[in-house]
Amino acid sequence: MPAYDYVCQDCRETFEIRASMAAYSDGLSPRCKECGSEHVARSFSVVSVVTGSGGTASAVGCGPSGFS
């Protein structure tokens, strides 16, 4: 089940919600786990990818300004 990261726009708390892709596409209504606010925004995490047998890793991140 995918995890979706959010940040509260009121108290700046970050939290994760695990939901099926069907539930996400149907429209989640996440609330901040700290203050209960519905004023939250989806955030994107850095992902580490290891390719080949050499074990080289590179981090790919996506944030509000796009891919880095």
Side-chain angles (χ1 to χ4, degrees):
M1 190 168 298
Y4 302 96
D5 296 322
Y6 288 88
V7 61
C8 178
Q9 301 298 294
D10 293 331
C11 74
R12 308 306 294 170
E13 180 73 16
T14 58
F15 60 96
E16 176 182 278
I17 294 178
R18 294 191 180 271
S20 68
M21 288 191 291
Y24 181 77
S25 65
D26 287 344
L28 293 176
S29 297
R31 294 176 94 66
C32 176
K33 309 255 187 223
E34 185 68 26
C35 71
S37 173
E38 292 180 344
H39 190 217
V40 298
R42 177 109 185 262
S43 65
F44 295 91
S45 303
V46 172
V47 177
S48 180
V49 179
V50 178
T51 59
S53 61
T56 58
S58 60
V60 178
C62 181
S65 62
F67 291 95
S68 58

